[in-house]
Amino acid sequence: MRSYECVYILRPELDDEKAGEVAEKFKSLVENHGGEVTKLEKWGKRRLAYEIAHVREGIYMIMQFNAAPEVAQELDRVLKITEEVLRHIIVRQAA
């Protein structure tokens, strides 16, 4: 299993409960595919460096997890089709 870090930005109009549900969805996706989430942290609402889809703020979330490469690919696919996510990036951490 490899170590990954995922940062994603959620739409700013989501309340804390809905943002938590979305984060739990991604966490359970990793765990259901045999991965292990080591850290899930909400950075909060921050101003974006540039406007994305006419939005100037976003809710930043960070998740660190250990999983097979196929799990990271599946998470990437789901992040792309989730409407609440403005941007995301998954990076493999150095060993």
Side-chain angles (χ1 to χ4, degrees):
M1 293 212 299
R2 297 178 177 168
S3 180
Y4 293 94
E5 183 173 76
C6 174
V7 176
Y8 52 95
I9 306 170
L10 300 175
R11 295 192 165 278
E13 61 268 8
L14 297 177
D15 58 359
D16 285 343
E17 184 178 319
K18 183 64 176 166
E21 289 175 11
V22 173
E24 188 60 37
K25 171 183 165 182
F26 299 139
K27 179 181 177 186
S28 64
L29 185 144
V30 170
E31 291 172 345
N32 291 341
H33 285 84
E36 171 196 11
V37 176
T38 56
K39 180 180 177 185
L40 179 61
E41 186 178 341
K42 179 179 177 182
W43 282 350
K45 191 180 284 190
R46 297 176 183 231
R47 187 168 174 83
L48 302 175
Y50 54 90
E51 196 172 283
I52 300 172
H54 306 290
V55 177
R56 294 193 166 275
E57 290 183 326
I59 302 170
Y60 281 71
M61 305 288 282
I62 184 168
M63 179 172 65
Q64 293 177 351
F65 62 98
N66 299 319
E70 297 80 27
V71 177
Q73 289 175 346
E74 176 64 13
L75 179 62
D76 185 51
R77 185 188 72 79
V78 172
L79 283 163
K80 285 179 184 175
I81 62 174
T82 303
E83 291 183 12
E84 294 90 357
V85 177
L86 292 174
R87 285 281 192 272
H88 73 280
I89 187 167
I90 301 173
V91 180
R92 182 176 163 201
Q93 293 181 321

